[in-house]
Amino acid sequence: MSNAGFSSQNGAGGQTYANGPTQSPFPGLYNAAPPVSYYQSSPMPPTMPVRPQMGGPLPPPLQPGQTPVPSQNSAPPPVSSTNNYYPNAQNPPLSSWNYGPRPPMGMATPPPGNHVTSSPSPVPTPPSKGFGAPPPGPNASVSPGPPLPPSSLSSWAQPQPGSVPPPPMNAMSPQAYQPGRPPYGPPPTAAPPPAMRPTPPPTGLQGTATPPPPMAPQNEGMRQAHTPSNSQVPNNFESGDRTFTDPPSSQPGPAGRPIGHAYPSLPPGYQNMAPPSNMPPTHLAPPYSSGPAAYQQPAVGPAQLSPSLAGLSLQSQTPDALRVINLLQERNLLPPTAIQPPTPCLPQDLQKVNCSPDVFRSTLTSIPQTQALLNKAKLPLGLLLHPFKDLSQLPVVTSSTIVRCRSCRTYINPFVNFLDQRRWKCNLCYRVNDVPEEFMYNPVSRSYGEPHKRPEVQNATIEFIAPSEYMLRPPQPAAYLFVLDVSHNAVQTGYIDVVCQSLLDNLNALPGDTRTKIGFITFDTTIHFYNLQEGLSQPQMLIVSDIEDVFLPTPDSLLVNLNECKELVQDLLKSLPQMFSKTMETHSALGPALQAAFKLLSPTGGRMSVFQSQLPTLGVGALKSREDPNQRASAKDIQHLSPATDFYKKLALDCSGQQVAVDLFMLSSQYCDLASLGCISRYSAGSVYYYPSYHNQHNPAQTERFQRDLKRYLTRKIGFEAVMRIRCTKGLSIHTFHGNFFVRSTDLLSLPNVNPDAGFAVQMSIEENLVDMQVVSFQAALLYTSSKGERRIRVHTMCLPVVNSLSDIFAGADVQAITGLLASMAVDRSVTASLSDARDAMTNAVIDSLASYRTAVLTIQQPGLLSPSCLRLFPLYILALLKQKAFRTGTSTRLDDRVFAMCQLKYQPLAYLMLMIHPALYRVDDLTDDGALNINDRTIPQPCVLQLSVEKLSREGAFLMDAGTVVYLWVGRNCNPQFLTQVLGVANYAAIPQTMTQLPELDTAESTRTRAFVCWLREQRPFYPTLHVIKDESQLKANFMQNMVEDRTESALSYYEFLLHVQQQISK
């Protein structure tokens, strides 16, 4: 990475940065509004109107359940900018940027989006742009003061030369929809932001042992037994030997110290002496100083973090996450390997038991003390969850007593505080609870009297087998109902053969037990049921032609026990593809078929798998085409992103109430209104699968993907009749959930089915100051019925530090989590307001956060677009989102393709989502074993990740692009002949087939390396990405090139132009 441009600010002899806000040399920083959509369809260079003035009244307050309405603010006409982007009229050096000619000066800037305001406020404030953040409350205002000296781990000092930046991150403030929160206000208008003097955290034990008044118990939708029993706990799980010891106090610590002081180093005994409240603990070096004095390097101890923790070390130097980078001068920002999430700045003993970021992740790994501080940072606060992820190691506990807080119902976890052997203090509400007698016995060590060593207190992710108190009814059996479109269009695609064959192959692998039930419904203009009752010689088809009043002809024999009727099921699957091979019915009565399926599954609950190949045309839920193909490349707002009818949403809510989830498989070459049909899955906690232009013969790559996806779908783990509740430490609040579910109450999600491939996100706000706290905790509890009929509870707990300085907040920003949360928020904004609003809000998220960093964290103002190292990829990720199918304009995009991309952004776990946003590009014609991984006796090459620019391509090479759901292998025209023969198995470039979707298994070292690398990439996700080998004349080359997000197109800015635009807005 080049260091050009660093010498004047933090190089040798440069001034050390102070940790506090200073007067900005750009007094009008926020006096103009952020950009709106700047992607036009004309071939001329994209123009960007100047950010308009902010001001004006707030939109009407949102009432509970009310949908936000797009603002009516209009942007002024484009204004030409001056010939430079800097206050001192010095143009930035182009340094190593070689993406082509510099954009013409005078380029206008994009029109701005609108903040979504939250609930009513007595004082109207002008709306800000982007997703917005609430202004400080009446008691949170702080008068301006002098810059603060360094007071925390993020004290500014000289960076270490040659240091490597950690993973980038950035965000914007959360978008609130719930009543009761103050509205989002504007950023500062003329003056720089006021200085905010952090309140030092307490250093000694304070507080009282008096518990708070009991609150209504919150079970995950069930009752909880309060009387412990004396049954013994079986030793049926594995756990580590980490020892939690108890703090030397008989009283609970302050509300702000839910984890206590003593876990890292006290001996295992429990002592009843409390230290003086005004003395700090001597055994633990706090990660944050107690006042505004300069931070002193702590002694090496349990809180001393290793240098590998994302740069957040406690050395008296600038954390690597905060190393200043001028984005206009630094070009090679991508790390050579996968980006790792930042590690929270916690004592090692706590960090090593913290929840894995693969399961539970926060956009900010350092939580601000106040909402005002969060607003000032302009970063969003939210959580991303993958709660039912397949785990290689999962401790499972069987116990007659599940220990929970009597007040807030939090499950006991590694971050509670044991006051003595018999009492523990909740880390969410701080109530003191008694330790049940059964909990005194540790089934791992088979010892008594050490409750802090039990697996529940040693593992942040754990699963309980729930007792009967957690059941409203006996656990349901696994029930699978398949609903298949057999109209003429569907039969012609050949998908029925694939579904039936896949079911035959995997019938014995369906999750379940001896009670598993299965059923089938087919439909065209009528609905066909199949009697599979035991004793019949062959399946009976029963046809219901009255689609206006659907009924079940023989309710007891349509959903049958799989074990008892397996032969009949197999006979049906073998004959079904031929039964409709000559059909000429072209209409589809999907709505009535769904009603019939709902009636069939309602008594038990279960999973409904629906296969549809066209627009529904008959009965309830019939739809008409809303897409105008001529508008696919429009640069204007995209219409029809919201459903055309509420039939599918209402039916989904009915399904959710009866514990039925609906998974939708769309196999269509025509528009099928996924915006409407997708509601059946979204609100019933199902999934949507989409295979455009599916055909068994004409599109073999899609067929292979469908087969692989179907196998995973049929055999993966499944949870039935599930609910999930997310709890957080007192003072934090949750709002606005993202994913597929129905919100049953403020913090309870109804999930009729839960699968290991589903992700969720939530936005959060800070309702009460966290000044007395050093850490906060979050807990997600998923209660579900396994396919074996067991009621289980999977609990994930995450602990994060609380900080009082903006530099610490920025240092802990997780740029990938922020991008994922913003993507979900932008999807909502696209549907409730407009696509241009969503695009503007994402752009303004970059502008606002980097402006906040510049004005409130940096003390020496320099020209250029300055970013902390942890956020260095934020503008790139947002630009990639703007060019993604869900949000792009000016490029031909089918409406269903766009809606499906939005579904994925809301539903996919973050690990899979990031590749869809910003693909990974590798050169693969020169793979070697240098730095390779060795996994199961396989050698996996590890080529470097390249920037997504055509400049990185070479006609002499071959390049692999991993875009999440698809993998492209682009072969240059002059590619090394050795690669062609030894990897692709062809004699020359011309011999590469136009539709090559598999790499041949050749007995060469090059072939083995390449296939090993591709297989390794595929194994990192549950779905099957299709491989396409493409060359210059391939039709798919356009798709490959559209993923080159750093390059300019006729309708979109290049990465460098986007940076110039962001820098221009910040420098105003």
Side-chain angles (χ1 to χ4, degrees):
M1 181 178 291
S2 167
N3 287 324
F6 274 46
S7 59
S8 63
Q9 52 216 43
N10 57 358
Q15 181 176 348
T16 303
Y17 288 115
N19 182 21
T22 58
Q23 294 292 328
S24 167
F26 313 113
L29 181 64
Y30 271 100
N31 212 19
V36 186
S37 176
Y38 39 86
Y39 296 5
Q40 307 296 332
S41 58
S42 82
M44 299 298 292
T47 58
M48 302 181 289
V50 173
R51 197 170 179 168
Q53 292 282 75
M54 295 197 311
L58 274 175
L62 294 176
Q63 300 303 321
Q66 183 178 345
T67 303
V69 180
S71 167
Q72 301 301 315
N73 295 347
S74 57
V79 180
S80 295
S81 65
T82 61
N83 287 332
N84 62 75
Y85 290 95
Y86 296 90
N88 58 3
Q90 294 178 357
N91 290 331
L94 283 176
S95 84
S96 60
W97 289 87
N98 294 312
Y99 283 165
R102 182 166 178 170
M105 292 300 190
M107 183 181 298
T109 27
N114 303 311
H115 275 302
V116 170
T117 61
S118 70
S119 43
S121 166
V123 183
T125 17
S128 175
K129 304 297 179 189
F131 293 104
N139 301 322
S141 60
V142 186
S143 44
L148 296 177
S151 63
S152 74
L153 74 127
S154 300
S155 308
W156 283 97
Q158 305 228 359
Q160 296 301 308
S163 56
V164 179
M169 39 209 82
N170 175 61
M172 75 202 159
S173 38
Q175 168 186 9
Y177 294 101
Q178 89 283 14
R181 291 184 70 229
Y184 291 124
T189 50
M196 185 171 299
R197 188 173 296 278
T199 305
T203 55
L205 286 171
Q206 306 173 11
T208 170
T210 308
M215 299 163 59
Q218 301 174 37
N219 238 339
E220 270 61 64
M222 307 293 166
R223 287 185 303 113
Q224 158 74 346
H226 297 281
T227 52
S229 71
N230 295 320
S231 60
Q232 210 172 19
V233 183
N235 180 12
N236 67 336
F237 48 83
E238 313 241 335
S239 178
D241 0 315
R242 177 177 167 281
T243 301
F244 272 90
T245 53
D246 201 62
S249 169
S250 60
Q251 334 174 322
R257 296 181 183 269
I259 58 168
H261 297 293
Y263 281 116
S265 59
L266 274 189
Y270 293 91
Q271 305 175 27
N272 291 325
M273 296 181 59
S277 61
N278 59 350
M279 291 183 63
T282 58
H283 58 274
L284 179 63
Y288 307 102
S289 65
S290 58
Y295 184 80
Q296 301 298 321
Q297 179 171 337
V300 176
Q304 182 68 47
L305 301 181
S306 69
S308 63
L309 299 188
L312 296 183
S313 71
L314 294 180
Q315 306 294 334
S316 56
Q317 64 181 14
T318 304
D320 197 45
L322 287 178
R323 187 166 51 85
V324 183
I325 292 177
N326 185 343
L327 298 179
L328 291 170
Q329 293 179 339
E330 293 287 347
R331 179 170 182 194
N332 299 312
L333 297 176
L334 282 177
T337 57
I339 297 172
Q340 298 301 315
T343 304
C345 187
L346 290 170
Q348 286 182 358
D349 275 4
L350 292 180
Q351 183 51 41
K352 72 181 183 183
V353 295
N354 216 351
C355 196
S356 165
D358 293 338
V359 173
F360 212 164
R361 199 158 164 178
S362 172
T363 57
L364 303 179
T365 56
S366 297
I367 305 299
Q369 280 187 346
T370 65
Q371 181 69 40
L373 193 59
L374 176 62
N375 297 345
K376 192 173 180 182
K378 304 292 183 185
L379 297 172
L381 179 58
L383 305 173
L384 288 89
L385 295 88
H386 192 175
F388 206 53
K389 176 181 170 65
D390 288 326
L391 299 173
S392 57
Q393 292 184 338
L394 176 66
V396 179
V397 177
T398 301
S399 175
S400 58
T401 302
I402 297 177
V403 180
R404 302 177 66 182
C405 175
R406 288 182 299 161
S407 178
C408 68
R409 311 302 295 145
T410 293
Y411 295 83
I412 197 167
N413 60 78
F415 310 107
V416 303
N417 186 2
F418 280 92
L419 306 178
D420 53 44
Q421 237 178 353
R422 296 287 180 176
R423 293 184 303 156
W424 64 278
K425 186 177 183 182
C426 177
N427 55 323
L428 267 64
C429 73
Y430 316 121
R431 175 171 181 141
V432 176
N433 297 271
D434 294 331
V435 176
E437 184 65 29
E438 295 92 325
F439 204 74
M440 299 295 290
Y441 174 75
N442 185 351
V444 177
S445 61
R446 303 195 176 184
S447 59
Y448 183 86
E450 295 180 327
H452 58 288
K453 292 186 179 180
R454 278 186 59 106
E456 296 94 323
V457 193
Q458 296 289 312
N459 296 278
T461 291
I462 197 163
E463 185 151 291
F464 300 94
I465 297 180
S468 58
E469 289 83 4
Y470 288 80
M471 306 174 193
L472 288 176
R473 63 176 185 176
Q476 73 168 67
Y480 305 107
L481 179 60
F482 296 90
V483 183
L484 295 96
D485 177 5
V486 291
S487 63
H488 179 74
N489 287 349
V491 172
Q492 290 301 306
T493 66
Y495 93 87
I496 300 174
D497 301 78
V498 175
V499 172
C500 292
Q501 188 58 50
S502 187
L503 268 169
L504 282 169
D505 295 342
N506 297 288
L507 209 53
N508 294 325
L510 286 176
D513 54 14
T514 55
R515 305 180 302 151
T516 302
K517 294 180 176 294
I518 194 169
F520 297 87
I521 293 176
T522 57
F523 65 95
D524 41 33
T525 55
T526 57
I527 301 171
H528 323 123
F529 298 89
Y530 296 89
N531 184 348
L532 300 169
Q533 190 170 14
E534 189 180 13
L536 291 176
S537 59
Q538 62 181 20
Q540 286 184 341
M541 180 194 285
L542 306 169
I543 301 176
V544 173
S545 55
D546 185 2
I547 60 173
E548 301 301 325
D549 185 15
V550 177
F551 64 94
L552 302 180
T554 56
D556 298 333
S557 59
L558 303 178
L559 194 66
V560 298
N561 185 290
L562 176 58
N563 285 347
E564 296 171 358
C565 307
K566 185 173 291 184
E567 290 185 4
L568 282 175
V569 171
Q570 291 171 332
D571 289 345
L572 175 62
L573 291 172
K574 290 173 183 175
S575 60
L576 200 55
Q578 285 74 43
M579 290 169 60
F580 299 96
S581 58
K582 308 221 181 282
T583 183
M584 298 308 292
E585 295 287 358
T586 58
H587 289 287
S588 166
L590 174 64
L594 291 174
Q595 288 179 325
F598 169 64
K599 290 184 177 183
L600 188 53
L601 273 179
S602 287
T604 58
R607 183 176 76 186
M608 188 191 309
S609 307
V610 180
F611 297 84
Q612 173 74 2
S613 68
Q614 62 174 313
L615 205 63
T617 53
L618 289 179
V620 290
L623 298 169
K624 295 181 179 178
S625 179
R626 299 189 290 166
E627 183 184 38
D628 180 358
N630 297 323
Q631 297 299 313
R632 287 178 181 170
S634 171
K636 301 177 182 177
D637 269 333
I638 305 299
Q639 304 298 317
H640 309 307
L641 294 175
S642 53
T645 172
D646 61 358
F647 168 77
Y648 295 99
K649 179 179 179 180
K650 287 181 176 178
L651 183 57
L653 297 182
D654 291 340
C655 288
S656 179
Q658 298 299 318
Q659 304 298 343
V660 175
V662 184
D663 295 322
L664 180 63
F665 291 79
M666 292 300 312
L667 309 105
S668 174
S669 56
Q670 304 296 325
Y671 172 72
C672 52
D673 201 349
L674 206 50
S676 299
L677 298 183
C679 292
I680 191 70
S681 297
R682 178 180 175 187
Y683 295 102
S684 67
S687 312
V688 175
Y689 296 82
Y690 178 54
Y691 305 91
S693 305
Y694 179 86
H695 195 282
N696 267 14
Q697 275 76 41
H698 301 160
N699 198 339
Q702 282 280 43
T703 302
E704 183 189 19
R705 180 177 152 231
F706 180 47
Q707 289 171 327
R708 303 270 188 154
D709 286 353
L710 204 52
K711 180 178 180 180
R712 164 74 179 173
Y713 173 77
L714 294 173
T715 59
R716 71 187 178 188
K717 188 173 55 179
I718 185 172
F720 296 99
E721 47 187 350
V723 288
M724 182 168 70
R725 175 169 268 130
I726 303 173
R727 298 178 171 92
C728 50
T729 294
K730 184 180 178 183
L732 297 167
S733 69
I734 294 171
H735 64 90
T736 316
F737 294 82
H738 301 279
N740 290 359
F741 49 77
F742 172 63
V743 182
R744 190 180 292 178
S745 65
T746 53
D747 62 348
L748 187 70
L749 304 185
S750 173
L751 305 167
N753 289 179
V754 62
N755 72 73
D757 304 334
F760 303 87
V762 296
Q763 294 167 235
M764 305 195 69
S765 58
I766 304 170
E767 288 194 333
E768 300 175 19
N769 290 354
L770 310 175
V771 174
D772 293 331
M773 304 179 193
Q774 282 194 339
V775 295
V776 290
S777 297
F778 308 88
Q779 187 175 86
L782 177 69
L783 175 67
Y784 71 97
T785 298
S786 75
S787 58
K788 305 294 186 188
E790 289 179 321
R791 202 74 175 133
R792 292 185 169 221
I793 310 162
R794 187 172 297 189
V795 179
H796 308 285
T797 311
M798 177 174 63
C799 179
L800 296 176
V802 176
V803 298
N804 59 12
S805 76
L806 277 173
S807 55
D808 287 346
I809 297 172
F810 277 99
D814 183 338
V815 72
Q816 291 192 331
I818 287 166
T819 304
L821 182 62
L822 292 185
S824 288
M825 295 164 64
V827 170
D828 284 355
R829 179 71 69 87
S830 299
V831 176
T832 58
S834 68
L835 190 68
S836 60
D837 262 13
R839 291 167 54 84
D840 301 337
M842 288 189 288
T843 305
N844 297 334
V846 177
I847 294 169
D848 292 344
S849 57
L850 294 186
S852 173
Y853 168 76
R854 181 172 190 134
T855 58
V857 177
L858 292 181
T859 55
I860 301 176
Q861 300 298 326
Q862 295 292 333
L865 182 58
L866 304 182
S867 163
S869 175
C870 60
L871 292 183
R872 69 192 186 281
L873 295 184
F874 190 38
L876 178 60
Y877 284 161
I878 292 301
L879 179 64
L881 265 179
L882 293 171
K883 295 184 177 184
Q884 215 255 358
K885 277 185 183 178
F887 303 113
R888 69 189 184 192
T889 57
T891 301
S892 182
T893 308
R894 300 194 334 173
L895 189 54
D896 282 340
D897 290 354
R898 185 185 300 276
V899 171
F900 179 63
M902 290 184 173
C903 291
Q904 288 182 304
L905 292 177
K906 291 273 286 185
Y907 175 78
Q908 287 284 359
L910 183 64
Y912 316 140
L913 183 62
M914 286 311 299
L915 284 174
M916 300 177 193
I917 295 173
H918 186 272
L921 182 67
Y922 309 92
R923 181 164 184 166
V924 293
D925 62 298
D926 55 359
L927 293 178
T928 67
D929 291 342
D930 294 341
L933 300 177
N934 287 302
I935 303 174
N936 300 330
D937 298 327
R938 288 188 306 160
T939 301
I940 314 294
Q942 295 295 293
C944 288
V945 179
L946 304 176
Q947 292 165 277
L948 293 174
S949 171
V950 174
E951 182 196 3
K952 295 297 179 182
L953 301 180
S954 162
R955 290 188 181 276
E956 286 73 38
F959 296 82
L960 189 80
M961 178 185 286
D962 181 2
T965 56
V966 62
V967 174
Y968 299 105
L969 176 56
W970 181 80
V971 183
R973 184 174 295 279
N974 302 324
C975 184
N976 184 348
Q978 187 176 357
F979 179 83
L980 299 178
T981 56
Q982 300 192 4
V983 175
L984 300 182
V986 295
N988 51 50
Y989 182 81
I992 300 175
Q994 284 292 340
T995 56
M996 189 173 183
T997 58
Q998 290 183 338
L999 295 178
E1001 293 190 21
L1002 305 177
D1003 190 16
T1004 65
E1006 292 81 359
S1007 174
T1008 302
R1009 285 195 196 102
T1010 307
R1011 285 184 290 108
F1013 182 58
V1014 173
C1015 290
W1016 178 72
L1017 291 176
R1018 281 174 162 164
E1019 288 165 1
Q1020 295 179 44
R1021 68 212 72 179
F1023 46 85
Y1024 184 79
T1026 309
L1027 173 69
H1028 293 283
V1029 179
I1030 56 177
K1031 47 186 184 176
D1032 281 347
E1033 49 271 26
S1034 299
Q1035 290 183 344
L1036 289 172
K1037 186 185 176 185
N1039 297 19
F1040 177 80
M1041 291 301 177
Q1042 282 173 353
N1043 284 323
M1044 294 294 182
V1045 296
E1046 297 197 21
D1047 293 335
R1048 180 180 180 177
T1049 67
E1050 290 183 353
S1051 57
L1053 301 176
S1054 71
Y1055 175 52
Y1056 188 68
E1057 291 169 337
F1058 183 68
L1059 291 178
L1060 286 176
H1061 164 62
V1062 172
Q1063 190 252 352
Q1064 181 190 26
Q1065 294 299 314
I1066 291 175
S1067 299
K1068 284 187 175 177

